[in-house]
Amino acid sequence: MALFLVTGATAGFGEAITEAAIAAGHRVIAAGRREDRLHALAGRLGEAVLPLVLDVSDAGAVAALPDSLPEGWREIDVLVNNAGLARGLGPAHEVDLADWDLMVATNVTGLIHLTRAILPGMVARNRGHVVNLGSIAGTYPYPGGNVYGATKAFVRQFSLNLRADLIGTKLRVTDIEPGLSGGSEFSQVRFGDEAKAKAVYEGTDPLTPADIAEAVLWAVSQPGRVNINRIEMMPVCQASAALAVHRT
């Protein structure tokens, strides 16, 4: 039985990963910003879940986290850096800089600060697995992807470099990179408009949070000698497209 710390556990991927980990017999520190949802999750899944109110962009709270956890919940085996978001889909010259700053603060700074906070304990115990939630947006550019795609490219490269730093230890690092995914608040947060969010998925059969959770649990369940570097996932209704060409 492993102890997971899952960020962004109040909805979507994080909630599904928490549910899958509990179903597999693990314990989970479910972290997120919305206390009511965390307690509802713990109430539904039982004592194997420890609800933890945490904003990963709060550097002080993240740094204090390892020592603030209760006894019996400090030796984290699997860190799932799931908290992340996209804001806006406009061209770079028109975006609100606050949206860019928020994506960097959450998708990059929050992820690396939490990893740095948890990693020393894993190294000292010589066991652990860091699972980062990236995106195919870090590989395949698209109009309006600008900083969101750049943050996910960072996640991919950070994951690979982290594994390079950990050579000689038994620690593992995996980057999960989903494509078009429904059943989460991602598009609602991105557009701030329910109609626009629903339009993203019209006529498609997208990945689900359960699909992502299954990939995470599969990577974690591999024999200790196996490190899954990256998992790139797309629904069958999606594929990479030809390069854009503007003609006059």
Side-chain angles (χ1 to χ4, degrees):
M1 180 176 67
L3 174 59
F4 283 58
L5 168 57
V6 179
T7 63
T10 57
F13 295 171
E15 183 177 13
I17 293 165
T18 299
E19 292 171 343
I22 295 298
H26 303 297
R27 294 186 301 149
V28 178
I29 302 168
R33 293 178 300 166
R34 293 173 286 190
E35 186 174 7
D36 57 339
R37 291 198 179 192
L38 291 172
H39 285 290
L41 184 66
R44 178 160 55 85
L45 298 179
E47 294 182 356
V49 173
L50 176 68
L52 175 70
V53 177
L54 179 70
D55 181 346
V56 297
S57 66
D58 183 339
V62 169
L65 176 61
D67 292 332
S68 68
L69 292 170
E71 290 295 332
W73 294 88
R74 294 184 177 182
E75 296 190 357
I76 295 164
D77 300 299
V78 181
L79 169 62
V80 182
N81 281 312
N82 167 69
L85 77 162
R87 290 291 292 270
L89 198 61
H93 57 285
E94 296 177 359
V95 301
D96 184 340
L97 274 175
D99 288 344
W100 279 6
D101 289 342
L102 180 60
M103 286 187 281
V104 171
T106 306
N107 301 356
V108 175
T109 307
L111 183 147
I112 63 175
H113 282 196
L114 186 55
T115 301
R116 179 61 180 83
I118 301 301
L119 204 57
M122 288 183 169
V123 172
R125 295 185 294 274
N126 199 26
R127 72 173 191 272
H129 197 150
V130 178
V131 179
N132 294 323
L133 264 293
S135 169
I136 65 166
T139 302
Y140 306 101
Y142 59 89
N146 42 67
V147 165
Y148 174 70
T151 65
K152 293 305 184 178
F154 176 91
V155 171
R156 181 184 65 247
Q157 197 60 33
F158 177 68
S159 300
L160 295 173
N161 285 344
L162 185 59
R163 182 68 191 94
D165 283 347
L166 295 170
I167 194 75
T169 75
K170 295 182 179 180
L171 274 67
R172 303 187 290 181
V173 184
T174 300
D175 181 27
I176 308 287
E177 303 174 2
L180 183 68
S181 302
S184 74
E185 299 175 337
F186 179 83
S187 291
Q188 179 70 42
V189 171
R190 184 168 211 169
F191 298 112
D193 182 288
E194 187 173 351
K196 288 183 179 179
K198 286 183 177 180
V200 173
Y201 307 104
E202 287 180 359
T204 72
D205 186 13
L207 299 175
T208 70
D211 297 330
I212 310 311
E214 184 175 353
V216 171
L217 268 291
W218 177 80
V220 169
S221 67
Q222 295 306 296
R225 66 181 177 275
V226 177
N227 189 86
I228 304 299
N229 294 332
R230 297 173 57 232
I231 300 178
E232 181 181 287
M233 305 170 63
M234 290 186 190
V236 294
C237 65
Q238 184 180 42
S240 58
L243 294 174
V245 177
H246 175 67
R247 303 182 189 278
T248 59

